[in-house]
Amino acid sequence: LAESVLLKWVNFHVKKMEPRYKKITNFDRDFADGVALGCLLMSHVPTLKSMQQFLTLPEKDQYSQNALSVVSAFRELELEHV
């Protein structure tokens, strides 16, 4: 039950930021490209400078770019030890 509530919350914010992105159904597989976590960050902190280069519909070879953007966003928020 808790997982389904969390999935609904994640999907709400992902669709708010990128309506064309797939529905999140699996935390491991669907978070792999960085889009879900990036969308959550942008939804809650839209002024993040480090997310300007974030790709909401990345190709596989661009996943690492999204990961770097997410890590930079955590640093910008002073959450780098999370």
Side-chain angles (χ1 to χ4, degrees), residues 12-23:
F12 171 81
H13 289 286
V14 169
K15 292 298 178 192
K16 176 178 158 184
M17 300 310 298
E18 179 49 77
R20 301 170 294 167
Y21 194 68
K22 65 186 175 194
K23 182 177 181 178

Side-chain angles (χ1 to χ4, degrees):
L1 178 65
E3 183 176 342
S4 64
V5 171
L6 188 54
L7 282 170
K8 284 183 182 185
W9 178 80
V10 168
N11 278 300
F12 171 81
H13 289 286
V14 169
K15 292 298 178 192
K16 176 178 158 184
M17 300 310 298
E18 179 49 77
R20 301 170 294 167
Y21 194 68
K22 65 186 175 194
K23 182 177 181 178
I24 306 296
T25 59
N26 179 290
F27 287 111
D28 291 331
R29 183 181 58 244
D30 295 338
F31 272 66
D33 61 7
V35 173
L37 187 53
C39 285
L40 288 171
L41 286 167
M42 291 186 300
S43 178
H44 287 85
V45 189
T47 58
L48 284 171
K49 291 181 176 82
S50 53
M51 297 303 285
Q52 291 174 351
Q53 300 298 318
F54 187 74
L55 301 167
T56 55
L57 296 172
E59 299 295 324
K60 260 197 181 295
D61 62 335
Q62 297 168 320
Y63 289 7
S64 60
Q65 180 181 337
N66 273 358
L68 290 173
S69 293
V70 168
V71 168
S72 294
F74 279 123
R75 286 187 180 132
E76 189 177 336
L77 294 168
E78 298 181 5
L79 296 172
E80 57 195 277
H81 299 290
V82 175

